[in-house]
């Protein structure tokens, strides 16, 4: 059984979850569920990034200690992740004592690549990122993501010698040992790597108190990104416990804005530790509202709870996985959301289930066995695998083309609706051709069960309901349709 490790970016706890945060979780969860359907043993990390000035400042504004503020907001993320039915196995908080201790051990191991020097340059607190002069000039001194002027810093810091690893990182990316998706982002990262100087990895304690203390130097605290990136290893128990079962990660999901930390700083840390690089970094685009980045000041932030309350979890998952492109920026509008719900979920899938279940009930067609989609399962019979084989689906899922995979599955849903229209089982029944009716409907039920299994990673609840209905000894249409039409 393959062991597969899947990770997500851990959000800062400086505010409430918004719909953009759902992207990491939904993509990673879809992949995790798919891997399990193929028989893999999956370890799946989520969590919260709790240190740094940004969180410290917000806690002070809220009149809370950073600990209390982090507790409160970490719990909001945990609830959100649970409401999305994300099938994680591990939840990490960067304030966990185990994480802090392990981070310090990681620092010790990196010592041969660490040196101390003065930093004179720019910083963006919103990004918690050191900014090069070139970036400062390109953006005219103002962070494009946070619309705030960069801060000027002059301080003594520890540095990680990125120059020790640049060649290896480039070679591994070019050789596909570390795959970065999509391809244009990989090219962007290769260009950025050339310009990347050694990276500052600490801040003086007088500038930053809320962080992991640098071992052996009580004047310095670790730069929040070093602490945050280490989470992917510390949650596995590194360096106290062996991690070879699950490391290297099969897939790490991150937003496009933080790919640079994962494509440059992170590989440098791993190489410094003598560990292999993750197999794949999948960088998704941003969810926009009305064509613009969501921000409190623009007043266009969409509350995920409102979207979940409107039509439930599967509609939420469906919209973000199909109509928000996996790799490009895409717009959320209520109009598009309602449209997708009414036309695709209610009309295409909901009606299919209702119609087919009603026909089966009328003609006493019994439920069928649950199909097994695992391509390598010994238990998979030849006839079952012929029915469930769908190379295009497998190819799209393995390449993280989730919106395209849903397009592909939707053709199958619509195909089943057309197949009912073409076979006209009600006419066969009128003619008294019971055997033909039974055959046609049984075949449709088997095909729908296979589509439901393929849909499981995307729409777990709907897929489960379909499976329950069409595997029951006597098929009966659901009392409430799968996706009731909105008023
Ligand atoms: N704390 C860091 C991540 C550390 S990972 C070792 C961070 N936090 S964040 O809260 O700013 O972002 C968390 C994730 O949400 C990132 O993957 C980020 O790209 C994603 N998104 C934040 N806003 C988003 C949208 N509007 N749309 C899609 N994803 C977005 O960065």
């Amino acid at each position: 059984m393959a062991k597969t490790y899947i990770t997500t970016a851990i959000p800062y706890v400086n505010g409430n979850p918004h719909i953009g945060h759902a992207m990491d979780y939904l993509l990673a969860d879809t992949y995790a569920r798919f891997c399990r359907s193929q028989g893999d043993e999956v370890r799946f990390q989520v969590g919260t990034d709790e240190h740094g000035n940004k969180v410290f400042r917000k806690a002070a504004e809220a009149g809370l200690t950073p600990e209390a503020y982090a507790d409160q907001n970490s719990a909001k993320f945990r609830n959100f992740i649970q409401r999305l039915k994300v099938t994680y196995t591990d939840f990490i908080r960067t304030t966990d004592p185990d994480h802090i201790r392990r981070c310090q051990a990681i620092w010790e191991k990196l010592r041969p690549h660490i040196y101390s020097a003065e930093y004179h340059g720019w910083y963006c607190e919103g990004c918690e990122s050191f900014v090069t002069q070139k970036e400062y000039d390109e953006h005219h001194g103002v962070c494009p993501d946070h619309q705030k002027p960069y801060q000027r810093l002059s301080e003594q810091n520890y540095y990680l010698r990125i120059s020790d690893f640049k060649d290896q990182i480039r070679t591994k990316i070019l050789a596909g040992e570390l795959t970065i998706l999509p391809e244009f982002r990989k090219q962007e990262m290769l260009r950025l790597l050339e310009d990347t100087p050694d990276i500052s990895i600490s801040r003086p304690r007088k500038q930053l108190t809320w962080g992991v203390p640098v071992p052996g130097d009580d004047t310095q605290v670790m730069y929040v990104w070093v602490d945050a990136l280490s989470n992917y290893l510390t949650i596995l128990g590194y360096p106290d416990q062996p991690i070879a079962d699950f490391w290297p990660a099969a897939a790490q999901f991150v937003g496009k804005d933080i790919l640079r930390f994962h494509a440059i700083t992170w590989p440098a840390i791993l190489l410094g530790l003598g560990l292999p690089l993750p197999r794949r970094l999948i960088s998704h685009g941003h969810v926009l509202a009305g064509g613009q980045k969501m921000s409190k000041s623009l007043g266009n932030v969409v509350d995920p709870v409102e979207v979940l309350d409107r039509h439930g979890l599967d509609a939420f998952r469906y919209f973000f996985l199909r109509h928000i492109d996996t790799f490009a920026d895409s717009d959320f509008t209520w109009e598009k959301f309602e449209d997708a719900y009414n036309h695709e979920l209610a009309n295409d899938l909901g009606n299919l289930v209702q119609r087919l279940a009603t026909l089966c009930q009328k003609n006493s067609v019994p439920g069928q066995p649950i199909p097994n989609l695992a391509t390598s399962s010994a238990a998979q019979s030849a006839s079952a695998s012929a029915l469930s084989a769908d190379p295009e689906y497998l190819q799209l899922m393995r390449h993280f083309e989730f919106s395209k995979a849903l397009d592909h599955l939707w053709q199958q849903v619509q195909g089943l609706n057309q197949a009912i229209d073409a076979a006209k089982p009600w006419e066969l029944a009128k003619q008294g051709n019971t055997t033909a009716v039974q055959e046609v409907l049984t075949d449709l039920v088997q095909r729908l069960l296979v589509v439901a299994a393929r849909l499981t990673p995307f729409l777990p609840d709907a897929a489960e309901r379909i499976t329950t209905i069409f595997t029951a000894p006597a098929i009966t249409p659901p009392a409430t349709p799968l996706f009731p039409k909105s008023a």
Side-chain angles (χ1 to χ4, degrees):
M1 184 188 281
K3 291 190 193 292
T4 300
Y5 182 37
I6 296 169
T7 75
T8 53
I10 49 174
Y12 296 118
V13 287
N14 65 331
N16 293 334
H18 60 67
I19 54 170
H21 290 125
M23 285 311 287
D24 279 319
Y25 304 134
L26 293 187
L27 297 175
D29 186 55
T30 299
Y31 190 61
R33 288 173 186 264
F34 169 71
C35 290
R36 286 193 203 98
S37 79
Q38 298 302 300
D40 294 4
E41 182 189 341
V42 174
R43 189 119 180 222
F44 179 0
Q45 155 283 11
V46 295
T48 43
D49 187 357
E50 306 189 5
H51 290 125
N53 275 335
K54 192 151 85 160
V55 172
F56 187 79
R57 200 180 300 276
K58 281 281 182 182
E61 279 169 28
L64 292 172
T65 61
E67 288 86 349
Y69 183 72
D71 282 352
Q72 173 190 299
N73 282 348
S74 177
K76 288 184 191 164
F77 277 94
R78 194 190 287 263
N79 288 340
F80 179 50
I81 293 167
Q82 286 170 350
R83 270 204 80 178
L84 295 176
K85 292 213 176 150
V86 173
T87 52
Y88 65 89
T89 55
D90 298 83
F91 190 105
I92 184 158
R93 297 185 56 185
T94 55
T95 48
D96 288 344
D98 278 346
H99 169 75
I100 292 173
R101 189 174 44 76
R102 289 172 181 155
C103 262
Q104 291 174 322
I106 286 175
W107 182 285
E108 294 288 5
K109 282 179 176 281
L110 289 174
R111 265 197 204 285
H113 306 283
I114 295 176
Y115 62 95
S116 171
E118 287 268 323
Y119 177 76
H120 296 287
W122 304 102
Y123 193 78
C124 171
E125 191 173 292
C127 302
E128 293 284 16
S129 175
F130 295 92
V131 173
T132 61
Q133 188 63 43
K134 189 173 168 203
E135 286 167 317
Y136 179 92
D137 293 340
E138 264 170 29
H139 301 136
H140 309 290
V142 178
C143 170
D145 284 340
H146 298 93
Q147 296 300 323
K148 287 213 179 111
Y150 294 124
Q151 295 167 15
R152 179 81 195 165
L153 300 185
S154 266
E155 54 188 43
Q156 189 73 26
N157 289 350
Y158 286 105
Y159 280 81
L160 180 65
R161 212 178 287 110
I162 292 283
S163 41
D164 287 353
F165 308 109
K166 271 191 181 182
D167 289 347
Q168 283 186 72
I169 298 174
R170 188 187 314 102
T171 308
K172 285 179 188 290
I173 294 176
L174 288 172
E177 263 178 64
L178 165 60
T179 299
I180 300 178
L181 293 174
E183 173 67 25
F184 75 94
R185 294 260 175 242
K186 167 176 138 187
Q187 298 304 335
E188 213 174 274
M189 289 303 119
L190 285 168
R191 283 192 297 274
L192 197 66
L193 180 65
E194 297 308 313
D195 291 344
T196 302
D198 286 349
I199 293 174
S200 175
I201 53 166
S202 74
R203 306 284 319 270
R205 192 185 282 278
K206 56 182 189 300
Q207 306 293 349
L208 170 73
T209 47
W210 182 234
V212 178
V214 167
D217 183 347
D218 56 14
T219 68
Q220 294 275 319
V221 167
M222 280 183 210
Y223 171 44
V224 64
W225 269 101
V226 172
D227 154 19
L229 289 164
S230 302
N231 95 85
Y232 302 127
L233 295 177
T234 60
I235 192 71
L236 295 179
Y238 184 86
D240 314 334
Q241 292 160 25
I243 58 166
D245 273 357
F246 286 98
W247 191 264
Q252 300 206 265
F253 291 87
V254 300
K256 63 173 188 179
D257 53 326
I258 59 167
L259 179 61
R260 55 161 60 194
F261 297 102
H262 288 81
I264 299 171
T265 318
W266 181 222
I269 293 176
L270 289 165
L271 292 170
L273 295 170
L275 291 174
L277 304 192
R279 294 194 208 289
R280 300 175 199 89
L281 278 173
I282 297 100
S283 159
H284 59 81
H286 274 182
V287 184
L288 308 175
Q292 284 179 301
K293 187 180 155 72
M294 272 176 283
S295 86
K296 282 195 192 125
S297 50
L298 286 172
N300 62 351
V301 176
V302 180
D303 179 359
V305 174
E306 218 184 307
V307 187
L308 279 163
D309 285 347
R310 187 75 69 102
H311 296 301
L313 175 62
D314 274 355
F316 185 104
R317 291 179 65 108
Y318 177 80
F319 186 82
F320 284 95
L321 289 164
R322 184 170 187 200
H323 293 289
I324 299 289
D325 187 275
T326 310
F327 298 120
D329 289 353
S330 310
D331 216 17
F332 175 89
T333 66
W334 285 105
E335 200 187 343
K336 283 192 204 169
F337 180 62
E338 288 299 332
D339 228 48
Y341 180 81
N342 285 317
H343 291 117
E344 294 155 22
L345 290 175
N347 283 357
D348 294 340
L349 185 59
N351 279 353
L352 168 65
V353 169
Q354 214 70 22
R355 273 176 97 193
L356 188 57
T358 308
L359 284 163
C360 290
Q361 186 183 40
K362 276 198 186 141
N363 295 286
S364 309
V365 173
Q368 299 296 311
I370 298 178
N372 175 2
L373 294 193
T375 42
S376 57
S377 163
Q380 177 81 299
S381 74
S383 62
S385 58
L387 185 67
S388 58
D390 183 349
E392 191 174 340
Y393 169 74
L394 292 177
Q395 171 86 351
L396 291 169
M397 296 304 281
R398 287 183 182 138
H399 289 88
F400 307 92
E401 295 278 6
F402 298 143
S403 32
K404 291 203 179 98
L406 266 175
D407 289 345
H408 173 74
L409 292 180
W410 230 253
Q411 284 175 9
Q412 300 180 359
V413 168
Q414 288 167 336
L416 285 173
N417 271 318
Q418 286 157 8
I420 300 180
D421 294 342
K424 298 190 178 48
W426 51 89
E427 285 191 0
L428 296 173
K430 239 192 262 163
Q431 292 156 13
N433 195 345
T434 322
T435 319
V437 178
Q438 291 276 330
E439 266 174 27
V440 163
L441 291 178
T442 302
D443 175 59
L444 288 165
V445 168
Q446 284 169 346
R447 285 162 63 191
L448 176 57
L449 282 169
V450 171
V451 174
R454 289 183 194 137
L455 280 173
T456 298
F458 302 97
L459 307 177
D461 289 347
E464 194 184 323
R465 279 186 73 191
I466 295 172
T467 307
T468 308
I469 295 166
F470 291 97
T471 54
I475 296 174
T476 37
T480 358
L482 249 59
F483 297 101
K485 277 275 179 105
S486 32

